[in-house]
Amino acid sequence: MNQAAANTVDQAVTAKAPSNSLWASAMRRFFRNKTAVVGLILLTIFILSAIFAPLLTPYSPTQRDYRTRLQAPSAQHLLGTDYLGRDLLTRIIYGARVSLQVGLISVGIALIVGVVLGSLAGYFGGTLDLLIMRGIDIMLAFPSILLAIAIMAILGPSLSNAMLAIGIVAIPQYARIVRSSVLSIKGNEFVEAANALGLSNTRIIFRHVLPNCLAPIIVQATLGVATAILDAAGLSFLGLGAQPPTPEWGAILAECRPYLRNAPWTVAFPGLAIVLVVLALNLLGDGLRDALDPRLKR
């Protein structure tokens, strides 16, 4: 194969893929979207709180102090304490670490597997496409939370198993998105030129095709983190995810549920944290979708 010709095709693909100027234009549109910027600011606050948690609070998220149990919000404990006397603000801040980690790892699992399956199905087609997509359809036939619970019943309750279960449940979304994008791209002239030059299928997929699928993948991954955090909170609330005393938001809600009437702050503030971080991710995802959609360039 003529290496110079192959390099020429690569350069053509680089020009075809989203250029720096296009990404810069998309970012300008993103920052003009006020709701998207609000989502980015909220998410940044949660991320920074998770990173610098030891500097933001003097309390331990797991240390018990029965003398201060179920105290209302005060100057000493800004969000009050739970039924074991643990500072609720501290547990929520440390819980951001757990919830964001669950979201990112779960989406990472789904993204890697979904991109590979979707690329293979869309690029090669035929029997391979039929087998992969029928398997995806079978997974989509089950409600996602029920499928996650079934996987957890097999693997056992733990935070790591919850991340794996949530990642597996989310695979079909990424596989379908990548497959549809690959189908629309593989018929382009630069892909046909790469095939004519004898480039390997692996090189064509990862060097020529997938770079042109980044926009929908980025948007779906951003929204997927929010869904993963909600699913993890649901599994932990049911006792299948994070186990006590891990400060995970869903687990905090499950532990404090019996005290809802006498100490409503123990449930209200962790629930508000879930609402805010999911809202932030949804606003960010919607903003990225609007910024990266070519039909909205004007």
Side-chain angles (χ1 to χ4, degrees):
M1 183 190 66
N2 190 332
Q3 185 62 35
N7 292 334
T8 300
V9 174
D10 288 343
Q11 293 172 2
V13 174
T14 302
K16 182 70 177 179
S19 64
N20 291 334
S21 61
L22 291 178
W23 284 110
S25 176
M27 289 301 99
R28 285 194 296 270
R29 290 195 299 273
F30 174 84
F31 284 106
R32 286 198 295 264
N33 188 331
K34 294 181 179 179
T35 57
V37 173
V38 170
L40 179 61
I41 293 172
L42 279 175
L43 183 60
T44 302
I45 291 173
F46 277 101
I47 293 174
L48 292 177
S49 298
I51 294 173
F52 298 105
L55 302 178
L56 297 177
T57 173
Y59 301 103
S60 167
T62 57
Q63 184 65 40
R64 304 178 183 184
D65 185 358
Y66 294 102
R67 298 170 299 176
T68 61
R69 63 188 305 269
L70 296 179
Q71 282 190 359
S74 62
Q76 185 178 6
H77 301 283
L78 295 180
L79 300 185
T81 60
D82 64 6
Y83 69 105
L84 294 176
R86 297 170 295 191
D87 183 70
L88 197 57
L89 177 60
T90 300
R91 287 182 62 77
I92 290 174
I93 291 175
Y94 278 88
R97 285 184 170 185
V98 178
S99 294
L100 291 174
Q101 178 185 2
V102 169
L104 292 174
I105 293 178
S106 300
V107 168
I109 294 171
L111 188 62
I112 293 172
V113 179
V115 166
V116 171
L117 292 179
S119 300
L120 294 175
Y123 185 79
F124 292 104
T127 303
L128 182 60
D129 181 27
L130 181 66
L131 292 175
I132 292 175
M133 296 315 297
R134 293 301 76 77
I136 295 298
D137 290 339
I138 292 173
M139 294 181 66
L140 289 172
F142 295 91
S144 59
I145 190 63
L146 292 182
L147 182 57
I149 291 174
I151 295 173
M152 292 298 298
I154 297 172
L155 300 178
S158 73
L159 187 60
S160 58
N161 289 340
M163 290 187 284
L164 180 59
I166 295 169
I168 292 173
V169 168
I171 288 173
Q173 303 171 19
Y174 297 93
R176 289 168 69 94
I177 289 173
V178 173
R179 175 181 178 271
S180 63
S181 298
V182 170
L183 285 174
S184 65
I185 291 170
K186 73 173 186 178
N188 290 345
E189 293 179 356
F190 63 89
V191 178
E192 295 178 356
N195 274 314
L197 289 171
L199 299 183
S200 66
N201 290 324
T202 302
R203 183 174 181 180
I204 293 174
I205 292 173
F206 289 98
R207 185 74 181 271
H208 298 178
V209 176
L210 286 181
N212 292 277
C213 306
L214 285 179
I217 293 174
I218 291 172
V219 173
Q220 181 58 38
T222 305
L223 297 173
V225 173
T227 303
I229 290 174
L230 279 176
D231 290 344
L235 290 174
S236 296
F237 186 81
L238 296 174
L240 299 174
Q243 301 299 304
T246 303
E248 197 275 334
W249 292 336
I252 295 174
L253 287 175
E255 291 178 2
C256 297
R257 181 179 55 177
Y259 307 94
L260 176 60
R261 291 182 179 272
N262 298 329
W265 60 86
T266 59
V267 175
F269 291 122
L272 181 62
I274 295 174
V275 170
L276 288 178
V277 75
V278 171
L279 175 64
L281 286 163
N282 283 329
L283 292 177
L284 180 62
D286 288 342
L288 287 174
R289 180 198 59 201
D290 296 341
L292 296 174
D293 191 341
R295 294 169 295 183
L296 301 177
K297 284 178 62 176
R298 65 181 183 274

